[in-house]
């Protein structure tokens, strides 16, 4: 696809082949120009997922939407769309599955006998504040359930839409029940529009950190992913900016292009940055043992080689310089009883 035919506002420019499909069909480029976002209601039996990955810190996650409109070409969640019979390409961004029964499922989960509360990550896969949330408000309803049951939740999002729910987040924060992690891979707005075309702008994300912090809602930032040759010169500037805005902590990841994320990203970078696409891809390979992806626990987070080590060193410097003395609070499970009653738990 030529630059002239590039579809603005999307990361994927075509539907890559679904690994599980026996037959495939690839429309003409003109067909992609007319693709509109569609929403399909699905009816899962559960909404809370137990996280079993050895190198991930959370115990539970929940995702009110499957697929994501934000359009990040490198999104690790793209291959999950294939399990629903869709493509990890344009389908992932334009065919969104909506779990309207999520709040009721969450309430049933909290009422399970023997359940011991642990913070739930909202979301662990696709963004809970993607544009669809303006229409469906499922995330808002999930947060209300968490407040009603006094259950802790960590929110991860790329969207300043989280500020809409300050009226719920503030009373949750008063009971130490919520934190917000904003994903900010770049504060270069021109680059942001290409990397994550339908997310909030970098200035709006920084403003969101300020507002959340002013309302005593603890904010963490994920500087992710770091793509060598693209945004790898930004960490110190990002860390200073988010620290000044009030963030209490941060994390970061190195880009990895597993399964069908790879062809989506390769097509994206060759279209947007044809002059340095091969350089960037080779730098990624240098961190991934000659490949573009890595599925090994722990190693997939850290990477290998000189480029990866330089990035790790930069973040160590930034942590000492901009976050020294800052501490991110641990959320409380003390007042969760499995009911909406305000009577505190007498026995553990």
């Amino acid at each position: 696809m030529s630059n002239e035919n590039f579809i603005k506002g999307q990361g994927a420019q075509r539907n890559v082949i679904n690994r599980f499909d026996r037959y495939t069909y690839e429309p003409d480029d003109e067909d992609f120009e007319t693709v509109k976002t569609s929403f399909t209601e699905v009816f899962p039996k559960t909404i809370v997922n137990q996280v079993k990955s050895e190198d991930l810190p959370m115990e539970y996650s929940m995702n009110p939407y499957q697929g994501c409109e934000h359009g990040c070409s490198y999104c690790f969640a793209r291959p999950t769309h294939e399990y629903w019979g869709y493509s990890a390409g344009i389908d992932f961004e334009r065919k969104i599955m909506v779990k309207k029964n999520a709040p009721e499922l969450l309430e049933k989960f909290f009422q399970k006998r023997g359940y011991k509360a642990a913070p739930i990550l909202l979301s662990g896969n696709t963004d809970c504040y993607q544009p669809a949330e303006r229409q469906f408000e499922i995330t808002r309803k999930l947060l209300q359930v968490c407040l009603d049951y006094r259950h802790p939740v960590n929110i991860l999002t790329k969207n300043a839409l989280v500020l809409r729910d300050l009226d719920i987040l503030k009373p949750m924060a008063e009971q130490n029940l919520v934190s917000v992690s904003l994903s900010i891979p770049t504060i270069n707005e021109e680059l942001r529009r290409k990397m994550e075309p339908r997310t909030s702008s970098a200035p709006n994300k920084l403003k969101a950190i300020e507002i959340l912090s002013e309302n005593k809602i603890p904010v963490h930032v994920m500087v992710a992913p770091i793509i060598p040759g693209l945004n790898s010169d930004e960490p110190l500037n990002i860390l200073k900016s988010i620290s000044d805005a009030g963030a209490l902590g941060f994390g970061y990841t190195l880009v990895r292009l597993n399964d069908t994320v790879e062809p989506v990203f390769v097509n994206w970078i060759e279209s947007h940055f044809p002059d340095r696409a091969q350089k960037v891809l080779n730098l990624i390979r240098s961190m991934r043992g000659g490949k573009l992806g890595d599925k090994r626990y722990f190693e997939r987070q850290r990477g290998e080689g000189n480029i990866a080590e330089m990035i790790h060193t930069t973040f160590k410097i930034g942590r000492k310089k901009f976050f020294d003395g800052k501490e991110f609070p641990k959320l409380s499970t003390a007042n969760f009883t499995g009911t909406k009653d305000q009577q505190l738990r007498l026995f553990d």
Side-chain angles (χ1 to χ4, degrees):
M1 180 178 291
S2 66
N3 290 339
E4 291 78 11
N5 294 329
F6 199 87
I7 307 172
K8 295 181 179 180
Q10 287 185 187
Q13 296 298 299
R14 58 179 64 253
N15 272 331
V16 295
I17 295 174
N18 185 322
R19 295 168 293 163
F20 307 114
D21 280 354
R22 184 176 179 183
Y23 303 104
T24 61
Y25 163 68
E26 182 70 19
D28 294 333
D29 289 347
E30 291 78 8
D31 293 335
F32 287 125
E33 295 282 358
T34 62
V35 173
K36 303 297 182 182
T37 303
S38 63
F39 303 101
T40 301
E41 183 176 3
V42 293
F43 302 90
K45 296 181 179 179
T46 60
I47 190 61
V48 178
N49 310 300
Q50 187 172 10
V51 179
K52 298 181 179 180
S53 296
E54 300 173 13
D55 56 354
L56 295 178
M58 74 289 295
E59 189 171 346
Y60 297 103
S61 69
M62 58 181 172
N63 301 279
Y65 305 99
Q66 190 72 31
C68 184
E69 300 171 83
H70 280 156
C72 309
S73 63
Y74 44 77
C75 180
F76 68 86
R78 285 183 177 274
T80 64
H81 228 46
E82 296 175 303
Y83 294 103
W84 297 80
Y86 294 121
S87 168
I90 289 179
D91 284 353
F92 179 77
E93 302 173 36
R94 297 300 183 182
K95 296 184 183 296
I96 309 300
M97 282 162 283
V98 181
K99 305 173 185 178
K100 292 182 180 180
N101 65 339
E104 291 78 15
L105 293 174
L106 181 60
E107 192 162 5
K108 290 180 181 178
F109 180 80
F110 287 163
Q111 294 171 353
K112 281 185 177 180
R113 179 174 295 183
Y115 168 64
K116 293 184 178 180
I120 296 176
L121 177 63
L122 175 70
S123 312
N125 196 26
T126 55
D127 203 306
C128 59
Y129 278 107
Q130 61 179 283
E133 172 61 16
R134 292 187 183 276
Q135 175 181 345
F136 297 104
E137 297 191 350
I138 302 173
T139 297
R140 179 177 175 82
K141 294 170 184 175
L142 288 170
L143 290 174
Q144 184 62 59
V145 173
C146 289
L147 175 58
D148 291 343
Y149 280 81
R150 302 170 302 285
H151 192 286
V153 61
N154 296 301
I155 299 168
L156 174 60
T157 182
K158 293 173 174 278
N159 205 315
L161 179 60
V162 64
L163 295 177
R164 179 201 63 188
D165 296 332
L166 276 175
D167 60 319
I168 301 176
L169 298 176
K170 288 169 67 175
M172 290 188 74
E174 290 171 0
Q175 301 179 61
N176 198 20
L177 295 175
V178 69
S179 70
V180 175
S181 185
L182 280 165
S183 175
I184 304 180
T186 178
I187 53 175
N188 177 331
E189 186 55 17
E190 182 179 354
L191 178 58
R192 196 279 312 166
R193 285 194 291 267
K194 295 176 180 179
M195 284 184 66
E196 37 179 38
R198 300 189 72 196
T199 66
S200 296
S201 68
N204 282 347
K205 290 181 185 179
L206 292 173
K207 186 63 177 178
I209 295 175
E210 292 181 8
I211 294 173
L212 290 165
S213 299
E214 289 169 358
N215 285 278
K216 303 187 185 311
I217 298 164
V219 181
H220 175 275
V221 171
M222 280 301 297
V223 188
I226 296 298
I227 305 173
L230 208 59
N231 66 340
S232 53
D233 60 339
E234 289 195 68
L236 292 180
N237 289 334
I238 294 174
L239 296 185
K240 182 181 188 304
S241 297
I242 64 176
S243 180
D244 290 347
L248 297 177
F250 71 89
Y252 68 98
T253 61
L254 307 181
V255 68
R256 59 187 181 93
L257 308 172
N258 290 336
D259 300 321
T260 36
V261 180
E262 179 178 328
V264 173
F265 181 86
V266 170
N267 177 255
W268 173 83
I269 198 164
E270 288 178 345
S271 299
H272 276 297
F273 302 98
D275 57 328
R276 52 176 150 159
Q278 291 309 309
K279 176 184 177 181
V280 170
L281 293 172
N282 286 333
L283 287 171
I284 295 173
R285 291 187 182 99
S286 77
M287 301 191 305
R288 299 298 180 190
K291 301 178 180 180
L292 291 175
D294 190 346
K295 295 183 178 181
R296 295 172 296 170
Y297 288 131
F298 301 103
E299 292 298 327
R300 62 180 182 173
Q301 307 288 6
R302 182 167 180 81
E304 60 185 51
N306 293 336
I307 300 299
E309 287 305 319
M310 288 173 59
I311 294 171
H312 295 318
T313 299
T314 300
F315 276 101
K316 287 179 182 177
I317 293 171
R319 188 179 301 278
K320 184 174 182 180
K321 186 172 184 179
F322 302 117
F323 284 83
D324 189 36
K326 291 196 174 189
E327 186 175 353
F328 199 78
K330 184 178 181 181
L331 300 186
S332 172
T333 60
N335 293 333
F336 176 81
T337 63
T339 71
K340 294 182 180 180
D341 296 338
Q342 292 299 314
Q343 182 179 356
L344 300 184
R345 180 167 49 201
L346 298 177
F347 302 100
D348 288 320

